[in-house]
Each structure stands twice: as structure tokens, then as C-alpha cells.
Amino acid sequence: MSEQTVEQKYAPGTHPSLPPPVADRGAIKWVRENLFSSPTNIVLTLLSIYLLYAIIPPLVDWMLINSVFDAGSRNECWEKGSGACWAIVVVRFDQFVYGFYPEEERWRVILAFLLLIAALVPILYDKTPFRKLGLVFSGVYPIIAYFLLWGGLGLAHVESAKFGGFMLTLTIGVTGIVASLPLGILLALGRRSDLLILRVICVCFIEFIRGVPLITLLFVASTLLNYFLPPGTYFDLLLRVLIMVTLFSAAYIAEVVRGGLQAIPKGQTEAAQALGLSYWKNMGLIILPQALKISIPGIVNTFIGLYKDTTLVVIIGLLDPIGLSQAVLADSKWQGLSTEIYVFIALFFFVSCFAMSRYSIYLEKKLETGHKR
Amino acid sequence: MKVSRLFLGVAAASLVASAAYADTLSDVQAKGFLQCGVSTGVAGFAFTDDAGNWQGFDPAVCQAVAAAIFGDASKTKYTPTTGKTRFEALKSGEIDMLARNTTWTYSRDVDLKLSFTGINYYDGQGFMVPKGLGVSSAKELDGASVCIQTGTTTELNLADFFRTNNMSYEPVPIETNAEARQNYQAGRCDVYTTDASGLAATRATFENPADHVILPEIISKEPLGPLVRHGDDNWADLVRWTLNVLIIAEELGVTQDNVMEMAKGTDNPEINRMLGAEGSYGDMLGLPADWAVHAIKAGGNYGEIFARFIGTETDIGLERGLNELWTKGGLIYAPPFR
């Protein structure tokens, strides 16, 4: 009792603010408010912790601790560890990336990929230095990529049949995305055009493509076209697929863009007309910039869908990563390891699709001009 | 966007006009390689090796044909085909021959206008059960739940088999072999049924293959073989006799190792005729006299190919069974080489 400290005296109103009670600050407060605020919340929190406990240690164990990276066959893997056999991904990595592309020519694929990034940067970011020059490069990139990938101009010819794995996914995905956007915008404009014949053609095209599953179009590309083409003509299968995928995605883009166009008040067009702007100037300067801005989430959504749909080509015998995994797992040395390969492929798709979706959010924020709806 | 020009470029590069299909051999010789349709992956029968080359029991036939024509098995190019695109690819001329686990049936032969050039594997639908079930015959499977791939002939065969034997079963529909393996191992079905070769390959992937038995009953006929399109009998003969040569080679003891030695001449007139030491049998096909030597040299005789890719020494572990030579109680039989 005698050690009780002497209470300091303060004039009314001069006492310094005390910190909040322990239970009402810092981590404890956060936990109480967010995790244990009500009986339901308590139950859910405990359940989640239990699930994490049940899932994460075995997963880490499987993926990292007991996994095997260095082995020549499945049996060797199973002898070395009880976890994932990543050795199959290590051994077959080149196959998954390049497909059957000749080994001595693979630098061309790498170069094409690096140039693709270089060509995309000026389009995606308007603060890129020397952007105008960059955009010219982006414009000619498809031609460069064509010669790099297929050969010509002194480079050895590589036929489409050698394409496979992730490079096939990227070839189909990027070509489809790049080509379908302008085509889709034109279709959307055509559908809203006053010119009857143009409008009817666009409507028929869009409705036909949207009414048919992509698989059907791919089958048409791979089998039916042979009946239409003159006998003895062989029309590259990959090219047929590229065309079909582009048309398919263009029809969807057209409808997304049309949604954006219809959201623009009529007054905008009328004002532009009153200023004496021609149709193309009106569209290019007034309507499309606003319409496309609204359409960004829908457009990116379509792109991501298209990108993932490229895996459907396995049905017509093009070996994208999924198709290759079938061929790889048929090797008696490796059969029975499907999980590892699917995790690996899923990771690749997640990274690319996540990047697309983040870019779309960045773009939306950048173009946000305060017209919150 | 310059993509349209890209398309034009690709289109121009890929519009390869080939002559009519009437003379496939000349076409193949002119372009310098054999275009062979294979599957997109069937354990042991067609797969890509670590270096990215197609290998397996089916591509081996293509390699033998390419070796017979060019003297070089590597002059083979492969087109992976799926169950849905394989016949169109063959009929449109995209591929010169198809070696892809294809069952020889009446309608495929007659209605689709394809020529099967022989049988390189006698398959049939079988059943696999866990040993713990204590079943030793498919006739004891009354009331069992069965994992079955939907939309296949195996589904129809299964229904027929249970009906004729007055038994009931509970189907567990699945899509792919991988899915079947998981369902079966998780105990969601008592029995897995598919082609016997597929069962053996699936069982080989289990941690304890010995805990599962493949029942002796085979309830369907699935003769698999290479095929070509109608309209070029010479080409069909070439493919047929390449396969026959591989079979005769096994029968007469000609192997990959000793074929060069034997080509110089032996005491056996049939070997001499086949390997070109006697007569001019190559001319009849429009090939050099030693065509069969190259075909055998490429991957060995039928038995060697079988052993290398799907035999008991491999993880697939298939017994020869029906695919043993006729002299040893199997069905593999080639007409005489004379």
C-alpha cells in the first residue's frame, strides 16, 4: 500500500489522451472486430482456421518438402519422395513451351516473345518514352512475328505442325485478341449503321457465330473446309483455327462494344453532327472513346475467355499444353502423373489471365473521369 | 493492324497443292517424307519421348513404312489426330496413312471407304477389380458398380454382356481414363471396364499393381490396325506388306541386330526372298530390293516392337496373349512371302 504512486494532478482539460484500452487497439481490436465479432463469425473463423490447418501443411508437404525435381522416370520419383514429381515438368519443360519446334530454331520463338512484349508496351502504357516510334514498331510486329515463327527471308521454314505447347496457346491467343478487337468494333458499328445491307450482313454474321459453339467452328475448320476447298488443296490447319478463333471472338467483342455504344446518350452524336463532324470523325473522336471506356471490363472478359478457350484445339489434334500432357503421360516412363502437369498448366494460365485482368483495372482507373454510374 | 497481311502470308505459304491421290507412293517420294496420323496419346501405343519425338507401338509401323520407302525411318512426319478428326484427315489427303488404335469394323471399312491393311494388335474389352473383392470371373459381378466411359462402344458392350448373363450393374459414368483411375482408386466403383490394353496400362500406374486383377473374360473384339484410304491399292499393299514383313521377320527369327547379316543370304529361301537376296520382290512394289531390310532395321521385328513399347518388360506390362505368333498359340499371322 505504501508504494502506491502519487497521483499527478492536472488542471481540468489538460490531461493528455491516454492510449485506448488494450482490447480496443492494434491487432487485438482488428481480430475482435473482423474475426470474432459475433457467434456466427466465431464459428466461421474457427472452421476456416481448421480448414487451413488441414489443407496447407499437406499441400506444402506435397508441393515442396517431399517433392522430387530430379528424376528420370515416375518410378525413380516415387522412390525418392512421396510428394509431387516435378521432374516430369523439368524434363519435359522445353516440350511444354515450344511443342515440336526444332531445337536449333527455338531462339526465334524467344525473340518473337521478347519483341511481343516490346510491341505491347507502347500500346498498353501511354507514358512509354518514344511512344510514337514504338507504335510504328507495334504495327509491323505481326509481320516480323510471322517471319520469325514460320520462317522466310533467309530463316528456315518451320511448318505449323511443329507448333505446340505454350507457344501455340500464345500464338492463337494473341492473334485472336489482336485481330478480333478491330474486327469486332467494325462489326458493332456495322450493326448500328443506317445502311440496310451492311447492317443485315453484320447482324447475320454476329448472330450466326454467337449461335454456334466454338468447338463446332473448330470442327468446321479442321474437317468440313476440306470439302469446300478444291481437291488436293491443303490449307494450313493452324491458319484455319486462327481465322475461326478470330471470327468467334470478334462476334462477341462486337456485342460488348455495341453495349457501350448504346450507353452513350444520343445528344453526343447530335452535338457532333451540329459541329459538322463527319461520321468517322464523330465515331473516332466522340463516341468510340467513351463507348470503349465503358466496354473495357466486357472486352477483357471476352479476351480472357478466348485465351482459355484456346485449349479446345486439343479436340482437333493441335497439341496445346493440355494436348501435350496427354502425349507426355502416354510415355510409360511417366504415366500416372497427371496432377503435377495440370498444376503447372493452371499456373501458366493463371499468371497470364491475372495479368490481363489487372491491366484492365489499371486502364479503368486511368480513364476514370468522374462519371460514376 | 497488319494481321490481315499476316494471314495472307500464311495462306500463301500453306496452300500446297498436291497431285491427285491416285499414286500415293510417288507423292510421298516426291515430297520426301511420310505423313502419318497418330493418336494424341495412348499409353505405350503413341507418346512423345523426352526429346519430343513421337514413339510407340503405332508410330513404329509408320517408321517401318518410311524406312521401307526411303531407307530412313526418320523421314516420318506426324499429325496427331483425335477420335473425331482421324478419318477426315486420312480421306482429305492430309495424312498418307493412319496408325492410331483404330478398331477394324464393317462400317469403317465399307461405308467410310477406308482400307485396313492388317491387324497389329488384338484388343478386347475386359474388367479390372481389386483383389480384395474376391472375384475371379466376370460372371460373378452381379450388382457391381462399374466405372464406364460414356459414349463409347465399351458402354454398349457392357450393357449387352450383363443382359445376356442375366445380371444387374450400376453404371458410374466417367469421361476420361484419368478420371476413371481416380474414381476406381477412391472406391467409387467396384469394377473398371475398358480395353484390356488400357486396363493393363492403368493398373501399371497404381502404387500396388498386384492388388488388382484383370478378369479373364474379354467381352468384345477390338482388332486394331493401320489403315489407308480407298483408291490406291498399291499404296495399301505397301503398308500391308510392311506390317506383314515385321511379323514374318519375328516368325523367322530375323531381328534388328541380325537383319544386316541375314540380308547377305541365308539357307532359308523365304528370308532370302524377303530381304532381297533372291528374286526381285522389291520391284513389284516399286521399291528397292532391300526395302524389307530397312523396315526391319528401323525398329526391329513385330515381337521386338511389342516388347519395347508395351511388353511385360515395360511399365505397361502387356502379355502377348492373342498377339502371340500363330506358331505359339496366338493370332498374329502373315501370309507367306513368295
Side-chain angles (χ1 to χ4, degrees):
Chain A
M1 291 295 258
S2 58
E3 285 173 30
Q4 200 176 18
T5 48
V6 183
E7 241 178 67
Q8 207 181 335
K9 300 275 185 198
Y10 289 99
T14 59
H15 195 289
S17 308
L18 291 172
V22 174
D24 227 4
R25 66 179 141 148
I28 297 182
K29 176 184 182 217
W30 186 89
V31 167
R32 274 177 64 144
E33 278 186 4
N34 292 291
L35 300 180
F36 299 101
S37 60
S38 70
T40 330
N41 237 345
I42 293 173
V43 172
L44 287 178
T45 302
L46 292 177
L47 200 66
S48 308
I49 291 174
Y50 171 73
L51 282 179
L52 288 179
Y53 166 76
I55 293 169
I56 290 187
L59 193 67
V60 171
D61 192 55
W62 182 79
M63 287 188 72
L64 299 171
I65 298 173
N66 277 325
S67 61
V68 179
F69 285 85
D70 178 31
S73 71
R74 185 202 65 211
N75 287 340
E76 202 183 324
C77 255
W78 284 359
E79 275 165 28
K80 283 188 176 173
S82 58
C85 179
W86 299 118
I88 184 172
V89 176
V90 174
V91 171
R92 297 299 181 97
F93 186 78
D94 281 357
Q95 221 174 100
F96 277 111
V97 173
Y98 305 104
F100 303 95
Y101 213 82
E103 215 168 332
E104 61 281 5
E105 306 288 343
R106 284 180 184 163
W107 61 270
R108 284 158 49 178
V109 181
I110 300 172
L111 185 62
F113 181 69
L114 293 177
L115 289 180
L116 171 70
I117 296 174
L120 281 179
V121 167
I123 299 178
L124 299 183
Y125 297 101
D126 53 5
K127 292 198 185 80
T128 318
F130 309 109
R131 185 163 187 239
K132 281 207 171 143
L133 214 63
L135 285 177
V136 173
F137 172 68
S138 309
V140 291
Y141 172 75
I143 302 174
I144 301 176
Y146 165 71
F147 282 115
L148 269 178
L149 292 179
W150 276 275
L153 298 180
L155 292 168
H157 174 65
V158 177
E159 59 210 302
S160 305
K162 301 270 182 204
F163 285 42
F166 292 128
M167 73 159 288
L168 181 71
T169 304
L170 279 174
T171 309
I172 300 176
V174 171
T175 313
I177 287 172
V178 169
S180 68
L181 185 60
L183 194 59
I185 294 174
L186 288 180
L187 280 170
L189 292 178
R191 188 167 185 168
R192 284 170 55 80
S193 162
D194 294 330
L195 306 171
L196 179 70
I197 296 178
L198 184 65
R199 190 170 68 230
V200 168
I201 292 176
C202 288
V203 170
C204 288
F205 176 83
I206 292 172
E207 294 303 336
F208 171 73
I209 299 270
R210 284 207 311 165
V212 177
L214 180 56
I215 299 240
T216 316
L217 290 178
L218 290 177
F219 275 130
V220 169
S222 84
T223 58
L224 214 57
L225 271 187
N226 290 327
Y227 289 116
F228 302 147
L229 295 168
T233 328
Y234 176 60
F235 201 172
D236 193 287
L237 180 60
L238 180 56
L239 174 65
R240 288 183 256 166
V241 168
L242 285 177
I243 294 174
M244 285 301 178
V245 166
T246 304
L247 294 182
F248 184 79
S249 152
Y252 279 83
I253 294 285
E255 286 300 279
V256 172
V257 172
R258 187 169 69 95
L261 288 174
Q262 279 171 347
I264 307 300
K266 206 173 177 218
Q268 298 281 324
T269 314
E270 287 167 352
Q273 281 168 348
L275 286 172
L277 295 185
S278 70
Y279 174 81
W280 288 110
K281 277 193 170 159
N282 175 14
M283 282 300 161
L285 297 172
I286 313 281
I287 306 296
L288 276 180
Q290 302 184 65
L292 289 181
K293 192 179 81 183
I294 316 175
S295 315
I296 290 171
I299 292 177
V300 175
N301 203 17
T302 311
F303 284 165
I304 291 180
L306 159 73
Y307 189 72
K308 290 193 290 192
D309 278 352
T310 55
T311 50
L312 290 179
V313 296
V314 67
I315 297 185
I316 56 168
L318 288 181
L319 294 189
D320 81 320
I322 306 269
L324 264 178
S325 68
Q326 220 181 334
V328 166
L329 291 175
D331 187 346
S332 60
K333 279 200 310 188
W334 294 111
Q335 56 170 328
L337 290 175
S338 46
T339 321
E340 287 84 350
I341 291 185
Y342 289 140
V343 168
F344 172 59
I345 296 173
L347 194 70
F348 167 80
F349 274 98
F350 178 76
V351 167
S352 1
C353 294
F354 188 64
M356 275 193 259
S357 108
R358 294 317 292 181
Y359 177 73
S360 114
I361 291 175
Y362 157 83
L363 204 59
E364 278 171 53
K365 278 195 184 139
K366 195 186 78 176
L367 298 177
E368 177 63 62
T369 43
H371 301 294
K372 274 249 153 60
R373 278 162 214 276
Chain B
M1 289 291 115
K2 299 290 194 300
V3 173
S4 56
R5 271 206 241 167
L6 168 75
F7 280 147
L8 284 179
V10 183
S14 53
L15 274 168
V16 183
S18 64
Y21 311 131
D23 192 353
T24 315
L25 178 57
S26 313
D27 288 350
V28 168
Q29 279 168 333
K31 65 185 174 182
F33 58 86
L34 173 77
Q35 192 77 42
C36 171
V38 293
S39 101
T40 53
V42 174
F45 284 84
F47 60 88
T48 57
D49 64 12
D50 288 348
N53 301 313
W54 282 99
Q55 296 289 354
F57 192 67
D58 283 335
V61 178
C62 297
Q63 286 158 11
V65 173
I69 299 172
F70 300 107
D72 181 358
S74 68
K75 293 200 170 162
T76 318
K77 291 191 179 181
Y78 301 95
T79 302
T81 57
T82 65
K84 299 179 180 74
T85 63
R86 53 184 166 181
F87 300 129
E88 285 308 324
L90 184 59
K91 286 166 79 176
S92 68
E94 208 172 316
I95 54 178
D96 302 312
M97 63 176 285
L98 182 69
R100 191 206 176 276
N101 275 65
T102 304
T103 307
W104 186 347
T105 68
Y106 174 83
S107 58
R108 283 171 181 173
D109 200 341
V110 178
D111 193 31
L112 290 180
K113 306 210 182 322
L114 301 169
S115 295
F116 283 81
T117 57
I119 294 167
N120 68 342
Y121 192 87
Y122 288 91
D123 213 340
Q125 187 176 343
F127 299 96
M128 175 164 65
V129 295
K131 222 168 216 168
L133 214 58
V135 173
S136 58
S137 156
K139 302 246 165 80
E140 301 166 23
L141 288 175
D142 196 11
S145 57
V146 184
C147 274
I148 175 86
Q149 289 187 20
T150 51
T152 59
T153 49
T154 52
E155 197 179 10
L156 308 174
N157 295 336
L158 178 74
D160 287 354
F161 176 77
F162 274 78
R163 208 177 55 198
T164 45
N165 287 294
N166 239 340
M167 300 190 298
S168 67
Y169 69 101
E170 188 190 327
V172 178
I174 42 100
E175 279 297 324
T176 63
N177 189 47
E179 198 188 331
R181 195 178 63 226
Q182 279 155 6
N183 274 296
Y184 175 77
Q185 281 194 296
R188 251 161 286 176
C189 49
D190 306 322
V191 188
Y192 177 34
T193 179
T194 188
D195 287 347
S197 59
L199 287 179
T202 306
R203 183 173 68 165
T205 69
F206 292 168
E207 293 210 35
N208 294 312
D211 290 350
H212 303 267
V213 283
I214 294 173
L215 300 177
E217 282 85 354
I218 296 293
I219 64 170
S220 73
K221 290 187 287 186
E222 310 278 349
L224 312 176
L227 53 156
V228 298
R229 58 185 159 264
H230 270 192
D232 188 352
D233 291 342
N234 295 334
W235 178 247
D237 285 346
L238 196 160
V239 177
R240 175 178 304 118
W241 278 95
T242 306
L243 179 60
N244 284 343
V245 156
L246 299 181
I247 293 169
I248 297 169
E250 187 189 7
E251 197 181 319
L252 300 179
V254 183
T255 67
Q256 194 172 17
D257 289 333
N258 69 15
V259 63
M260 291 317 247
E261 192 57 38
M262 289 204 172
K264 291 174 190 156
T266 62
D267 300 336
N268 185 327
E270 186 164 13
I271 295 179
N272 292 350
R273 284 193 296 269
M274 184 167 77
L275 300 183
E278 246 174 55
S280 54
Y281 287 84
D283 287 350
M284 300 177 193
L285 277 175
L287 294 176
D290 60 350
W291 67 280
V293 177
H294 294 299
I296 297 166
K297 185 80 188 150
N301 63 38
Y302 178 83
E304 287 176 289
I305 294 172
F306 193 103
R308 177 161 351 107
F309 294 115
I310 53 179
T312 44
E313 297 290 300
T314 68
D315 281 350
I316 314 274
L318 291 175
E319 300 282 346
R320 284 293 290 266
L322 287 179
N323 298 294
E324 187 56 273
L325 288 178
W326 64 287
T327 47
K328 295 178 186 164
L331 292 177
I332 296 292
Y333 182 100
F337 200 105
R338 62 167 64 250

